[in-house]
Amino acid sequence: EQMTWTMDIKTCLLHFKDMPAHLQFNPYIHTGYRPLLSLWGCLCSLFYVHNETINIFTHGLPILFITLVVPRLMPWEISSFLSWCHIIGSVSPWIGSFVYHLFMNVDYGEGCYCRLLQLDMLGIWISQSFGALPMVQASVFCLPFYLQFLIILCYCCGSIIGLYKAMRAWSPWKRRLCFSMPFIMRSLLCCLRYSRYGGGDPGSLIHVIMQDALSLLGGTIGAMNIPEKWFPGCLDLYFNSHNIMHILVVLAVYPMYQSTVKDIVWMAQGECKTHRLSDLHAEL
């Protein structure tokens, strides 16, 4: 009986025009929409194909991989705090996204959908704040303590402002732009790392750049609805912009891991050159 019910739901996938207004956010995806379902119905949708299937699994599977594999690879003996920051920061966005995409069509009204969207944004914020702390700490590691404190404080304040905006942003572009301040600060820290006063493992700089570049590319593709904008109705189940965005941001976890581990080890070795600090103090 349960199998029959699942198959009936599978054959009742809806068209864009049949969906409630709060679920009509991509007019170029025409078909494959799940009807409004109970919580159990949403869970059962894991076992048939619809236009959220790839979005669910591209973030559900990384949760399993990160929680089962990555903790064994972290340098806990050097810094348990920064290792925890990386684990929490790398898994949080996928948890929020997985829950959001799986239950977005639950039959509890638009208010519930908005809470799920906020949960998704909260996961991204945790990644942007706690997940970025190892990179931020390494970048300012060679600066005088008061400058380290000031820069990290500014980054934390920028992250809090981003969270405030994220909880109130409903359009795709606004949701992405609410994290622009932390992104700009990380870009400036990359410039600092490249200078004579910056810290961090020299080999991790390319990974620092790649993690944000992949996320930025994915976010831009997702907001522009490319390529389904060019082929309306042809990419409803796979290879649409949201699928591509999910894959790119998941790929960004690898350079994030590489840069974090390299920077933690580098900070433990204390490889700042003393002439950097003396020159900086003299200039200040």
Side-chain angles (χ1 to χ4, degrees), residues 197-258:
Y197 304 119
D201 189 311
S204 70
L205 181 58
I206 183 62
H207 297 293
V208 171
I209 295 172
M210 283 301 299
Q211 65 179 349
D212 271 332
L214 287 170
S215 298
L216 179 63
L217 177 61
T220 302
I221 290 174
M224 295 179 67
N225 295 327
I226 294 173
E228 67 269 17
K229 180 186 293 186
W230 302 330
F231 310 100
C234 297
L235 302 172
D236 293 349
L237 300 181
Y238 44 79
F239 297 140
N240 57 61
S241 60
H242 211 85
N243 300 159
I244 296 171
M245 180 188 72
H246 272 217
I247 293 171
L248 288 174
V249 295
V250 167
L251 290 176
V253 174
Y254 177 73
M256 179 182 178
Y257 161 77
Q258 287 289 340

Side-chain angles (χ1 to χ4, degrees), residues 69-234:
V69 176
V70 176
R72 293 183 291 174
L73 305 176
M74 297 303 297
W76 298 99
E77 69 283 358
I78 298 177
S79 175
S80 59
F81 173 72
L82 292 180
S83 295
W84 272 117
C85 284
H86 175 73
I87 296 297
I88 294 172
S90 59
V91 77
S92 293
W94 319 141
I95 294 175
S97 178
F98 176 80
V99 173
Y100 164 71
H101 285 286
L102 181 59
F103 294 104
M104 64 191 304
N105 64 312
V106 69
D107 192 13
Y108 288 173
E110 185 176 358
C112 180
Y113 172 80
C114 292
R115 301 290 85 77
L116 289 170
L117 185 58
Q118 288 177 328
L119 176 64
D120 187 17
M121 298 303 293
L122 177 62
I124 298 172
W125 177 81
I126 293 174
S127 178
Q128 297 273 316
S129 54
F130 289 96
L133 279 180
M135 175 269 185
V136 175
Q137 176 63 45
S139 299
V140 302
F141 188 75
C142 294
L143 298 178
F145 175 77
Y146 67 92
L147 285 180
Q148 293 185 38
F149 176 80
L150 181 61
I151 293 173
I152 294 175
L153 178 63
C154 288
Y155 189 85
C156 292
C157 291
S159 296
I160 293 173
I161 293 172
L163 176 63
Y164 176 82
K165 292 182 177 180
M167 293 297 102
R168 289 160 175 77
W170 303 115
S171 72
W173 279 111
K174 286 184 178 180
R175 288 197 295 270
R176 286 155 178 81
L177 291 175
C178 64
F179 297 115
S180 58
M181 188 177 297
F183 173 78
I184 291 172
M185 290 194 66
R186 290 196 303 275
S187 299
L188 293 174
L189 288 174
C190 282
C191 297
L192 174 64
R193 292 171 76 110
Y194 192 73
S195 74
R196 60 187 298 196
Y197 304 119
D201 189 311
S204 70
L205 181 58
I206 183 62
H207 297 293
V208 171
I209 295 172
M210 283 301 299
Q211 65 179 349
D212 271 332
L214 287 170
S215 298
L216 179 63
L217 177 61
T220 302
I221 290 174
M224 295 179 67
N225 295 327
I226 294 173
E228 67 269 17
K229 180 186 293 186
W230 302 330
F231 310 100
C234 297

Side-chain angles (χ1 to χ4, degrees), residues 32-48:
Y33 291 90
R34 294 169 294 172
L36 297 179
L37 300 170
S38 65
L39 290 173
W40 178 249
C42 292
L43 287 171
C44 289
S45 70
L46 288 169
F47 303 101
Y48 59 88

Side-chain angles (χ1 to χ4, degrees), residues 9-82:
I9 291 294
K10 181 179 178 180
T11 59
C12 290
L13 295 178
L14 304 180
H15 193 277
F16 176 83
K17 61 181 175 60
D18 300 319
M19 300 304 293
H22 66 276
L23 294 176
Q24 292 181 332
F25 41 76
N26 190 341
Y28 307 106
I29 303 297
H30 292 175
T31 60
Y33 291 90
R34 294 169 294 172
L36 297 179
L37 300 170
S38 65
L39 290 173
W40 178 249
C42 292
L43 287 171
C44 289
S45 70
L46 288 169
F47 303 101
Y48 59 88
V49 177
H50 46 83
N51 62 18
E52 291 292 340
T53 297
I54 292 181
N55 295 331
I56 292 170
F57 281 97
T58 50
H59 280 179
L61 294 177
I63 295 173
L64 295 176
F65 179 82
I66 292 171
T67 54
L68 295 176
V69 176
V70 176
R72 293 183 291 174
L73 305 176
M74 297 303 297
W76 298 99
E77 69 283 358
I78 298 177
S79 175
S80 59
F81 173 72
L82 292 180

